[in-house]
Amino acid sequence: MPITLEFIQPQDIRTVAYVVSRALLSSPNSIALWGGQSERHRHRIEEAVRIVNLEHPRSVTVVAWLDGRIIGALSMLPWPDCQPGVLECLRLTPRMLGVVNGGVFRALRMQITAARLDPHRPHWHLGPVGVLPEVQGQGVGGKLIRRTLQIIDERHGAAYLETDNLNVVSSHQKLGFRVIREADMLGVHNYLMWRDPAGE
């Protein structure tokens, strides 16, 4: 497929959030966090991705295009911005209360767990990543991750991510990642993966 990869543009933020929400809706982590797979749950994922990730001033997002439409994206944040501090949480709370709705305690538990597990050394925290379900399995995700790692290598950085998917573990190990820890997050088994800066 003639897929092109570009950095996100402000006018595309809502479309990217929608695409990622569709991709994440059926993942075990998302179901555990949001409580279901309905359109209502998808919309909450969309809003959370937009507010927390895509609109963050230090976020870097690579978008995959095919035939004039967005089909996937991968966003990342540099440490320590990947785990919001007290002031950032206070800033986000009014916007996020309506999004998390009844899942506020699950969201808090997830945030506390993620912050505890996140490596406390410089890195780029990858995620969320998502490809439209109808084009999954055609190499789009691989193109996104390789382009993102190229950007990180150019900045001489390390990369980190969490995944509940063993297929991701296998494919990312071929790209230099290694599993540094395993942990349950809201009852879902996750693999925490790290990739050293290029040349180390």
Side-chain angles (χ1 to χ4, degrees), residues 153-173:
D153 288 345
E154 289 168 355
R155 302 177 185 198
H156 309 288
Y160 169 79
L161 59 86
E162 307 111 347
T163 182
D164 56 31
N165 189 330
L166 272 172
N167 290 330
V168 170
V169 172
S170 177
S171 65
H172 284 31
Q173 285 174 332

Side-chain angles (χ1 to χ4, degrees), residues 74 129 139-143 145-146 149 161 163 165-179 193 195:
L74 193 160
V129 57
V140 181
K143 289 179 183 292
I145 185 67
R146 285 190 294 275
L149 292 177
L161 59 86
T163 182
N165 189 330
L166 272 172
N167 290 330
V168 170
V169 172
S170 177
S171 65
H172 284 31
Q173 285 174 332
K174 298 172 185 175
L175 297 172
F177 283 90
R178 67 182 189 278
V179 175
M193 304 191 73
R195 181 178 183 268

Side-chain angles (χ1 to χ4, degrees), residues 45-106:
I45 297 170
E46 177 183 340
E47 289 300 290
V49 167
R50 179 178 61 82
I51 293 168
V52 176
N53 300 99
L54 303 180
E55 293 182 351
H56 193 288
R58 298 195 67 195
S59 173
V60 175
T61 302
V62 178
V63 179
W65 289 81
L66 175 65
D67 294 334
R69 69 177 184 132
I70 294 170
I71 60 169
L74 193 160
S75 187
M76 61 180 177
L77 279 167
W79 182 85
D81 296 299
C82 52
Q83 298 299 335
V86 175
L87 291 178
E88 181 70 3
C89 286
L90 289 173
R91 184 184 71 80
L92 291 175
T93 294
R95 301 177 69 193
M96 288 298 295
L97 279 177
V99 176
V100 297
N101 200 6
V104 63
F105 292 111
R106 289 195 303 271

Side-chain angles (χ1 to χ4, degrees), residues 5-28:
L5 303 176
E6 301 176 5
F7 287 111
I8 195 171
Q9 298 300 313
Q11 66 270 20
D12 296 322
I13 286 177
R14 287 192 175 273
T15 302
V16 170
Y18 168 77
V19 167
V20 172
S21 72
R22 284 195 55 205
L24 295 182
L25 185 59
S26 62
S27 77

